[in-house]
Amino acid sequence: MSEPITREVFNHLVELAALELTPDEAEYLRRQLNNQLTAIDDLNQVPLDPDTPVASHGVPYTPATSAPIRADEWHPHPDPAKLLKGAPEVDDGYIIVPEIPHQDLD
Amino acid sequence: MKLHELTALEITQKIKARQVSAEEVLDAHLRRIEAVDGLPGRLDGDSSAEPSKVHAFITLTAERARAQARAVDEKLAAGQDLGPLAGVPVTVKDIFCVEDTPSTAASKILANFNAPYTATAVERMEAAGAVILGKVNLDEFTYGSSNESSAFQPAPRNPWDTSRVPGGSSGGSAASVAAYEAPLSLGTDTAGSIRQPAAFCGVVGMKPTYGRVSRYGLIAFGSSLDCPGPLSRTVADSALMLQTIAGADPRDATAVTVPVPDYVAELEKGVRGLKIGLSPEYFQITYLDAVTGKLETQPVPDVMKNAVLDAAQRLAAMGAEIVENVPMPHTRYGIPAYFVISRVEAASNLHRFDGVKYGYRAQAGITDLRSMYRRTRAEAFGPQPKLRILMGMYVSAAQYSEQYYNRALRVRSLLRRDFDEAFAKVDLLLTPTTPTSAFPIGGLYGDSVLMQYADQLTVPGNHAGVPGISIPAGLDADGLPIGIQFLGPDFSEDIILRASRAYEVATESESWRQAKPALAE
């Protein structure tokens, strides 16, 4: 069986996905992805009329069933300190992260 | 009858009649949990520990529950009105945020996350007087149909046979209700994650119409597919819970403003005059054969088919008109379309887990921000989230999206059209819920394709957004529960619940209705 997701394609996906994988994990996941693609290929059996629209959701939303769009206004959170409690590293109300890769511009 | 065996409706009635206190009801359920649940799931826990226990819970919040039960008792003593769920113990799938409690999604990446706010569905139940017992286990981020992928082990086991899976992803919800640890549980259904475990555990589970229940505070999987909904042992209890959690929510723009009917009041209206359809496509499954790599089509097992036909006969005897051969030609494409659409949405939703704002952050070997992202996600996501992220990246990539993502979204239109055309002819569809009863632990896990096919008869409803329910319909030759499913048009939950209740009445005297899981206390 041909494998659309070759090691090269797979490694690119891993990079895009911001993951790191052990060799065993990579082999298992790549095999599963290719198996899933075989199942997905069944979609090619569906005759699609060029007019068939895409459906990003199933239930139609109409003005009668939807809340009006809210005004685009910001509201202060009542307790920002509580939100920051979940952050792995905080200093004086700021979230601390490792050095951000950057290039100095000329 | 023992207090932990009461339904939610019975509990509220008895509390309001001062026959029992909310605290006594809570104590009875805590004793039951103590007796049958065993070790809660925990990171690096032993998956084979206590194999005869249920293991539904990740976090039992007994003190919080006691405060809520006492508040109900105090309100009653003060002569104040009690809400519709007054004193009813409820378990919550650990994919919902509940303020100041661990909200883990059964993933290492959120193992240390205490939610700073409460999901709307939970908040509404609490306002109605419910007593939240705690958070129950699931597949990691809801990604599975067996609960085996949870990072918190031991994972839940099926109360009817603890060597088998409870189904998933709302496995802890279904197991806790089936094991009489709670009369109600809040689950979510993205491809069948309420209905499939409900069928496997012999309980009622309802996936409402997309948008019927707010998703605010639900840790997202497939944002266009996710539906919070109830699990219970009786149809009336699901009606009661749905009544409480449904309705518009300013914090979720997809929560519709359609008025919520009185589901409980409608329940006993019967099925006279209802047209109930049977579809040949729901009596077969198409799956990818692991050996040949080819698609095979097989009829569902006779026990599943016969349960549906028996239900149809009973409903016909009560005045429903049964319409056979309702075509649902795109049913088999539900799983392949789901493999694409749900993965794209999952990959997008999982990008927020990056070790910055909350949750796990890797410590060792970090050189810069990018390496922190990669290391954090590598260490803290299990194989199922990783698979979904990678597939989501692939099928939505610029060079493949026409072939995969856009095609799947167009097939989704056809899946929706199947339902629109069916519901122009019939009020409801009646189908099996699952192609098999509960499978053994370890039976499918690791094969992500076969596992997904467990949802073949439930996932079309998620693509279309229509509501569905699984209700218990007997036991198979191994003594395992089987479920039947009703599907209806948008916002027809009242009719689905009525038909389900009619079937419950029609089977009241069947011996399987008296059967209970034999759990050692």
Side-chain angles (χ1 to χ4, degrees):
Chain A
M1 211 185 329
S2 72
E3 290 188 329
I5 301 185
T6 59
R7 287 205 170 84
E8 192 186 356
V9 171
F10 183 79
N11 290 339
H12 180 58
L13 292 174
V14 171
E15 177 67 23
L16 286 175
L19 289 170
E20 286 175 352
L21 302 173
T22 64
D24 283 354
E25 208 178 11
E27 212 33 52
Y28 168 74
L29 293 173
R30 194 171 72 85
R31 195 167 60 243
Q32 291 297 316
L33 289 180
N34 280 311
N35 290 349
Q36 291 183 6
L37 276 184
T38 308
I40 290 169
D41 281 342
D42 195 24
L43 291 178
N44 294 325
Q45 303 302 314
V46 188
L48 279 177
D49 186 309
D51 296 335
T52 307
V54 298
S56 56
H57 52 82
V59 179
Y61 278 82
T62 65
T65 62
S66 319
I69 291 173
R70 299 194 289 264
D72 186 10
E73 292 166 348
W74 72 276
H75 300 276
H77 190 276
D79 187 5
K82 185 164 185 167
L83 296 180
L84 287 172
K85 258 192 214 162
E89 197 177 344
V90 175
D91 185 16
D92 194 24
Y94 289 89
I95 290 174
I96 305 299
V97 295
E99 186 183 335
I100 299 171
H102 64 280
Q103 283 180 317
D104 290 325
L105 295 175
D106 292 336
Chain B
M1 186 180 266
K2 296 169 185 164
L3 284 181
H4 67 261
E5 294 183 358
L6 296 176
T7 67
L9 270 172
E10 289 166 343
I11 288 170
T12 52
Q13 285 160 1
K14 282 185 186 294
I15 289 174
K16 287 172 185 174
R18 299 170 196 265
Q19 291 167 355
V20 64
S21 71
E23 204 167 355
E24 285 167 334
V25 170
L26 170 64
D27 282 331
H29 286 86
L30 290 176
R31 279 196 300 274
R32 176 68 179 173
I33 292 164
E34 171 77 29
V36 302
D37 204 59
L39 289 169
R42 62 180 175 84
L43 280 186
D44 306 317
D46 175 4
S47 64
S48 59
E50 299 180 336
S52 61
K53 296 292 186 187
V54 178
H55 306 294
F57 277 85
I58 289 179
T59 307
L60 182 69
T61 51
E63 279 178 35
R64 182 189 170 97
R66 189 163 302 283
Q68 290 175 333
R70 282 186 180 152
V72 168
D73 289 334
E74 283 161 16
K75 261 181 136 177
L76 184 67
Q80 295 171 15
D81 280 346
L82 297 185
L85 291 179
V88 177
V90 179
T91 61
V92 175
K93 184 178 184 179
D94 203 7
I95 196 74
F96 289 95
C97 291
V98 177
E99 189 171 3
D100 295 331
T101 71
S103 298
T104 71
S107 179
K108 182 176 178 181
I109 211 158
L110 285 177
N112 64 358
F113 175 63
N114 275 297
Y117 65 99
T118 297
T120 297
V122 178
E123 193 176 83
R124 287 183 178 168
M125 288 195 291
E126 290 184 328
V131 172
I132 307 297
L133 294 172
K135 309 295 277 304
V136 284
N137 216 331
L138 61 147
D139 283 289
E140 183 175 359
F141 278 103
T142 79
Y143 301 160
S145 306
S146 72
N147 273 218
E148 292 159 287
S149 68
S150 174
F152 289 70
Q153 297 286 340
R157 291 169 175 267
N158 193 311
W160 292 85
D161 175 349
T162 56
S163 72
R164 291 178 186 264
V165 302
S169 64
S170 308
S173 289
S176 66
V177 171
Y180 292 85
E181 297 176 6
L184 293 178
S185 188
L186 177 66
T188 59
D189 192 312
T190 307
S193 280
I194 287 174
R195 290 162 288 164
Q196 185 255 20
F200 278 14
C201 291
V203 300
V204 176
M206 183 167 220
K207 170 218 167 308
T209 312
Y210 181 82
R212 179 70 296 180
V213 178
S214 167
R215 291 180 292 116
Y216 180 76
L218 162 64
I219 298 167
F221 167 9
S223 300
S224 78
L225 301 154
D226 295 339
C227 294
L231 294 101
S232 62
R233 290 188 298 271
T234 65
V235 174
D237 277 2
S238 274
L240 179 70
M241 180 166 155
L242 181 62
Q243 184 93 50
T244 309
I245 61 176
D249 179 5
R251 294 172 297 188
D252 175 3
T254 63
V256 295
T257 55
V258 177
V260 180
D262 188 338
Y263 299 119
V264 180
E266 295 288 312
L267 266 186
E268 306 292 343
K269 289 191 175 166
V271 290
R272 186 161 300 283
L274 282 188
K275 284 187 184 167
I276 297 177
L278 305 177
S279 171
E281 282 81 10
Y282 276 84
F283 290 115
Q284 63 186 34
I285 51 161
T286 302
Y287 63 99
L288 192 70
D289 188 292
V291 179
T292 64
K294 292 195 170 136
L295 285 165
E296 306 282 349
T297 298
Q298 275 191 4
V300 298
D302 281 347
V303 66
M304 303 292 171
K305 183 177 181 181
N306 291 338
V308 173
L309 297 180
D310 173 72
Q313 267 182 4
R314 290 173 192 266
L315 296 167
M318 299 170 97
E321 181 188 338
I322 304 301
V323 180
E324 292 189 68
N325 294 319
V326 178
M328 299 290 287
H330 298 93
T331 302
R332 69 178 260 204
Y333 302 111
I335 293 292
Y338 183 77
F339 265 131
V340 177
I341 294 168
S342 71
R343 272 48 174 180
V344 172
E345 296 185 7
S348 170
N349 280 320
L350 287 173
H351 276 305
R352 74 191 61 169
F353 301 104
D354 57 5
V356 173
K357 304 173 291 299
Y358 42 71
Y360 180 83
R361 179 188 286 189
Q363 299 299 333
I366 306 298
T367 52
D368 62 18
L369 185 66
R370 273 192 211 138
S371 76
M372 190 279 283
Y373 289 156
R374 284 198 293 264
R375 189 59 61 88
T376 294
R377 289 157 64 88
E379 289 178 7
F381 279 141
Q384 297 308 319
K386 286 174 181 164
L387 253 181
R388 279 157 181 78
I389 296 167
L390 292 166
M391 182 58 97
M393 306 300 297
Y394 182 74
V395 294
S396 63
Q399 64 271 47
Y400 304 119
S401 67
E402 193 54 43
Q403 181 186 351
Y404 292 118
Y405 187 49
N406 283 354
R407 188 169 188 89
L409 290 177
R410 293 169 75 205
V411 171
R412 187 175 187 179
S413 283
L414 300 180
L415 283 155
R416 170 77 193 187
R417 193 177 297 165
D418 280 358
F419 284 101
D420 287 342
E421 289 175 1
F423 294 137
K425 295 179 218 142
V426 298
D427 296 296
L428 299 175
L429 286 167
L430 172 61
T431 80
T433 308
T434 55
T436 66
S437 54
F439 43 84
I441 292 169
L444 288 185
Y445 190 57
D447 186 330
S448 63
V449 175
L450 268 187
M451 184 68 85
Q452 192 69 76
Y453 280 92
D455 293 332
Q456 181 152 148
L457 305 178
T458 47
V459 73
N462 297 79
H463 285 301
V466 299
I469 198 170
S470 180
I471 54 173
L475 303 171
D476 70 6
D478 295 324
L480 298 169
I482 55 176
I484 55 172
Q485 174 178 237
F486 285 107
L487 295 160
D490 299 344
F491 310 111
S492 65
E493 287 86 353
D494 50 346
I495 300 172
I496 290 176
L497 289 161
R498 254 169 66 192
S500 303
R501 173 63 190 146
Y503 175 78
E504 217 174 44
V505 171
T507 53
E508 235 162 23
S509 57
E510 295 298 322
S511 58
W512 58 265
R513 282 271 175 217
Q514 310 310 318
K516 287 178 186 167
L519 288 164
E521 291 210 0

